[in-house]
Amino acid sequence: MSNHVYKKLELTGTSAASIEDAVNSALARAAKTVRDLRWFEVEEIRGDIEDGKVGHWQVSLKVGFKLDE
Amino acid sequence: MSNHVYKKLELTGTSAASIEDAVNSALARAAKTVRDLRWFEVEEIRGDIEDGKVGHWQVSLKVGFKLDE
Amino acid sequence: MSNHVYKKLELTGTSAASIEDAVNSALARAAKTVRDLRWFEVEEIRGDIEDGKVGHWQVSLKVGFKLDE
Amino acid sequence: MSNHVYKKLELTGTSAASIEDAVNSALARAAKTVRDLRWFEVEEIRGDIEDGKVGHWQVSLKVGFKLDE
Amino acid sequence: MSNHVYKKLELTGTSAASIEDAVNSALARAAKTVRDLRWFEVEEIRGDIEDGKVGHWQVSLKVGFKLDE
Amino acid sequence: MSNHVYKKLELTGTSAASIEDAVNSALARAAKTVRDLRWFEVEEIRGDIEDGKVGHWQVSLKVGFKLDE
Amino acid sequence: MSNHVYKKLELTGTSAASIEDAVNSALARAAKTVRDLRWFEVEEIRGDIEDGKVGHWQVSLKVGFKLDE
Amino acid sequence: MSNHVYKKLELTGTSAASIEDAVNSALARAAKTVRDLRWFEVEEIRGDIEDGKVGHWQVSLKVGFKLDE
Amino acid sequence: MSNHVYKKLELTGTSAASIEDAVNSALARAAKTVRDLRWFEVEEIRGDIEDGKVGHWQVSLKVGFKLDE
Amino acid sequence: MSNHVYKKLELTGTSAASIEDAVNSALARAAKTVRDLRWFEVEEIRGDIEDGKVGHWQVSLKVGFKLDE
Amino acid sequence: MSNHVYKKLELTGTSAASIEDAVNSALARAAKTVRDLRWFEVEEIRGDIEDGKVGHWQVSLKVGFKLDE
Amino acid sequence: MSNHVYKKLELTGTSAASIEDAVNSALARAAKTVRDLRWFEVEEIRGDIEDGKVGHWQVSLKVGFKLDE
């Protein structure tokens, strides 16, 4: 039986709403072109500031998916 | 007066809902067997992916509690 | 044309509600005395525990703002 | 459905043979007292030296297991 | 003479046999679609546990290859 | 001959006197319930402030001990 | 309005001249195949040595670009 | 009830005597101009050397204090 | 003789020309309001991209200066 | 009784065979010129790639030995 | 005028008494064979445990000295 | 065929001119006493400040060279 191999992409999702929404926005975009997404790892949480409040959450994450054999 | 000593456990809480809920789920479980929980430190945020969305948030945290003297 | 220079402050915002709210609470306080806030970077997420649940989220962040020329 | 919670132990396995054997030696010991071991993360690889060769590999790892609900 | 430019991919190779085999399994997969692989850097060693033993080694690595000019 | 396995606990010792005393206070507490303590690794040094002076040193350390075979 | 998503590539640019030139050499190569490059983050600076002097600067950087929606 | 916000300063205290004294020397200076100092985190311990002995301990620390509301 | 105490500011200097120029631009701005600047530590090198080239180098640094006694 | 002092060297051992062999190759070379080698710490695992397989493992390690008194 | 160049050694000093004493013990040993010691940087603080107390502090430090021109 | 072994030195080069010049100044010094220098890795960039400008760049680097067999 062959061993599985996975690839990790690094994406930055953004959202005005929340950290969770920024992650899901990155995953939704990845799912358009990549099959078999499996897991993610949050690497960095930052954002821009508008009028003394968070403007957009900018969450960088690694996204792992299974490569075809 | 004796010095206090604290112990840290490392737990991973999970939740389909949010990062905050995953942390509270770990704390609720710890509170069943440990008295005197004091603080936590988030170590890692990751998760699995289902249908191009976050399936479960997996949040690893250290939980500090006071040891009996 | 002169080069821009930015300064970073390190703040810890707290909130009983959520990580996002703790960040906004720090930004709101910074906006009272600093003009031209631009971006933030989350450094650390921790908190205290009350009755086996998160009491307050304590989120440390760096906040960048533009210095006058 | 309740959320799962996992606990991580930190162990150091040793072996005169190999890094892999040192990890398995730590897992075998953990399996004696803990049910439902799930995953491990290698934290550090070091060792002592005897006669100009590796004496024992000392591999520190975190071991995750599922807590009962 | 133009300067060379390299790209790094991040892959996770798995193997039931050894850390070395997990790395080679990732490299073999990369070699199917990428020419001019040059070097790798191990980023993380972890794995799953089956019956109190390592089930699969999961080794994350960066793989560098030369881009066409 | 079987391989030795060690476990690491993470403790935070406190002391109004010194960093060294905070470490010894954590070790003394661990020695009450754990046999065969072998080594420690200082992870973090922090403290609280009273009247513009260190109130208590809070030193987090990992403590390694040998598991029974 | 949908949230923007960015992807980060990791590249290593080289140059016999300077660190700045090695970065620009990586960016020039990326610009041949990727539209909408936005920012970069220097990850590592190293190089080879020829005749007791820097032969080539080897600068690894992450390059962020906006994904189409 | 409003959320508390804290600010962290980064200071380097020095002392010919000890690490503890270097920290206290930084705190004493901070207390001259800042009210409501709460906690500190040691970031770095270094020093200069005179006649083959430590000349001055140089201890960098972050100092947290509560901002007025 | 009293012990010296230093404070560190975190600044981000920018320049279209070079990393060195971005650092000097931050130092020049700091020198307008702070006396007795002593040393700096580069924390991060990044930048924006314009037309497939570095637009501005953005160099974050800590700047240490001596506090009055 | 005087206190012992140890020195650490940083070496990179290579091997076509395995990580373990690369470490032993570095230790064997160190043992030719240094007495009283005591322990090692693996710092980095990388390698070159030949024909889509690991060419040589390159393992950087710190090697500690006791200095004469 | 030529530029100065410094070399850093990594040493581990030990002491039954204190962290400060372990550092001075490493510096005293270095001063026997190296002229022009300038500064040190503490890298790691650990130790062995005897009878539930610190046996010896083991402090790893980098020691910088000026090379002859 | 025997495996190659490399040693890494840690040096700090200085220069009033640039980061690149500080690195080359360290390499030139190393080349006086060491044959077969192969590669370097920049570890830290800092410097002193004179009259509100960089006085000297201080660049710490590891320098790898091949050991005789």
Side-chain angles (χ1 to χ4, degrees), chain J:
Chain J
M1 200 200 79
S2 74
N3 298 322
H4 298 314
V5 179
Y6 303 85
K7 185 173 174 179
K8 296 189 197 183
L9 301 178
E10 188 161 2
L11 302 174
T12 303
T14 63
S15 163
S18 69
I19 297 169
E20 283 85 350
D21 193 50
V23 171
N24 268 319
S25 127
L27 296 185
R29 180 61 184 79
K32 284 187 189 168
T33 53
V34 181
R35 281 180 304 157
D36 241 340
L37 297 174
R38 294 293 176 88
W39 83 94
F40 65 92
E41 313 164 17
V42 172
E43 295 290 301
E44 190 183 45
I45 301 173
R46 48 193 296 160
D48 55 11
I49 304 176
E50 295 172 11
D51 299 324
K53 290 195 295 289
V54 177
H56 290 81
W57 296 91
Q58 301 162 336
V59 183
S60 293
L61 59 163
K62 293 190 177 171
V63 184
F65 62 97
K66 192 160 156 299
L67 290 171
D68 297 333
E69 266 139 69

Side-chain angles (χ1 to χ4, degrees), chain C residues 12-26:
Chain C
T12 302
T14 64
S15 163
S18 70
I19 297 170
E20 284 85 349
D21 194 49
V23 171
N24 269 318
S25 128

